[in-house]
Amino acid sequence: MEQAPIISFKHVSKVYSNGTVGLKDIDFSIPKGQFLVVVGLSGSGKSTLMRTINRMHEVTEGEVYVENEAVSAYKGRSLRTLRRRIGMIFQNFNLINRSSVEKNVLSGRVSYYPTWKSVMGLFSAEDKQKVVTSLNRVNMAEKIYARADELSGGQQQRVAIARTLMQDPKIILADEPIASLDPLTTKTVMDILKRLNQEDGLTVIVNLHSVELAREYADRIVGLRAGELVYDEPISAVTEADLNKIYQAI
Ligand SMILES: Nc1ncnc2c1ncn2[C@@H]1O[C@H](COP(=O)(O)OP(=O)(O)OP(=O)(O)O)[C@@H](O)[C@H]1O
């Protein structure tokens, strides 16, 4: 039986203030626990699509639903709660370079604290233990006291994933998470995302340029072209020819 959707796009369009069309009438749903890969040329709208889910970008038409709630309805504190459920991983890792791995990972927990406490570094013993657990999930516990900028790119991305796990997310959004990594490290990072998907039932959405990786890891592939959803197939139905078509310049 098909899982209930955890995210739904209902006729979503996004026009940036300078008139650029980011998304055009996007209408599809993502079932809970799916590993979805979004492919498309540079500028096709992949990042924009992802960022409408946690309201880093506002839509100009339509609505995005997360667990059946319209995300536009979230304000202030409730928006913080929405974002806590949605972890995000970036191409450039977004770690605090001069801080330790431990501090970086702990920072994933700040949304659970009133500001004064996290600012003063008063994290609970449980949360410090949770850092170790999270680092173990990504095989990085031995680097807990290293400075973030002493780590390789792949290690930094694993720390970024551990930081996200501190949120206890239900959804992970990964925007080109392996774009600056070598092939071996790429596999490590993609394998971790797949494991979190399979073992924890997390819904994972990954923007990728690589067609081969999309085919290897996705349950389903959607393709964007100039802000429009031009392709949507389960992995069993995806063909090489289809993917080549999506990547053809228009
Ligand atoms: N803040 C912004 N203001 C104006 N236009 C923007 C903004 N952000 C993105 N765009 C435009 O919206 C369109 C979609 O961009 P988006 O970054 O979502 O594409 P993408 O598929 O993620 O590209 P890439 O693979 O290069 O990251 C592009 O034409 C882009 O130039």
Side-chain angles (χ1 to χ4, degrees):
M1 203 181 75
E2 181 90 327
Q3 281 270 24
I6 188 166
I7 299 165
S8 296
F9 294 87
K10 300 278 185 210
H11 299 290
V12 169
S13 295
K14 161 82 181 168
V15 181
Y16 284 101
S17 52
N18 65 0
T20 306
V21 175
L23 298 173
K24 220 187 280 177
D25 198 22
I26 300 287
D27 196 75
F28 77 112
S29 292
I30 304 168
K32 189 168 177 292
Q34 189 160 69
F35 197 112
L36 178 79
V37 171
V38 184
V39 298
L41 288 174
S42 183
S44 58
K46 303 184 296 297
S47 298
T48 307
L49 182 79
M50 192 166 265
R51 284 166 167 73
T52 61
I53 299 171
N54 62 2
R55 290 265 306 279
M56 280 171 77
H57 284 331
E58 304 291 344
V59 307
T60 37
E61 262 178 70
E63 185 60 82
V64 181
Y65 294 84
V66 173
E67 294 185 309
N68 297 319
E69 300 278 350
V71 298
S72 65
Y74 288 92
K75 301 262 151 39
R77 194 140 96 178
S78 70
L79 183 57
R80 217 158 76 125
T81 314
L82 170 77
R83 288 183 174 154
R84 191 189 284 169
R85 284 187 270 152
I86 305 171
M88 190 147 187
I89 294 161
F90 304 88
Q91 175 179 343
N92 57 359
F93 325 126
N94 281 10
L95 298 181
I96 307 161
N97 281 328
R98 293 155 64 89
S99 273
S100 68
V101 166
E102 183 184 38
K103 283 202 176 120
N104 269 285
V105 176
L106 266 176
S107 75
R109 201 70 189 159
V110 292
S111 69
Y112 285 87
Y113 286 85
T115 321
W116 66 270
K117 235 184 171 182
S118 52
V119 164
M120 292 180 64
L122 296 175
F123 290 99
S124 70
E126 286 82 5
D127 283 343
K128 289 190 176 161
Q129 183 51 45
K130 197 173 168 67
V131 169
V132 177
T133 311
S134 300
L135 284 171
N136 270 326
R137 300 285 319 265
V138 298
N139 242 330
M140 284 292 293
E142 79 279 12
K143 294 284 187 192
I144 187 165
Y145 301 119
R147 254 173 60 150
D149 56 7
E150 290 167 358
L151 304 177
S152 70
Q155 290 174 328
Q156 290 194 42
Q157 194 59 296
R158 282 147 67 193
V159 170
I161 295 172
R163 178 181 57 189
T164 290
L165 291 179
M166 294 295 284
Q167 293 171 226
D168 291 324
K170 295 189 169 177
I171 298 166
I172 290 188
L173 308 176
D175 195 1
E176 303 277 353
I178 46 83
S180 43
L181 305 179
D182 63 56
L184 193 67
T185 325
T186 287
K187 181 171 166 27
T188 310
V189 167
M190 291 302 295
D191 284 349
I192 289 171
L193 292 175
K194 191 75 185 177
R195 209 168 62 230
L196 295 173
N197 167 249
Q198 290 181 334
E199 290 177 3
D200 299 17
L202 295 183
T203 305
V204 177
I205 304 170
V206 188
N207 289 346
L208 283 180
H209 271 125
S210 158
V211 170
E212 291 75 29
L213 282 178
R215 291 190 78 177
E216 194 177 338
Y217 288 92
D219 295 329
R220 171 189 184 188
I221 296 181
V222 299
L224 294 180
R225 191 193 287 154
E228 283 187 90
L229 195 91
V230 293
Y231 188 78
D232 181 2
E233 294 290 348
I235 197 65
S236 56
V238 172
T239 67
E240 195 79 38
D242 287 345
L243 290 172
N244 288 337
K245 240 188 268 166
I246 299 170
Y247 279 90
Q248 267 166 17
I250 49 166

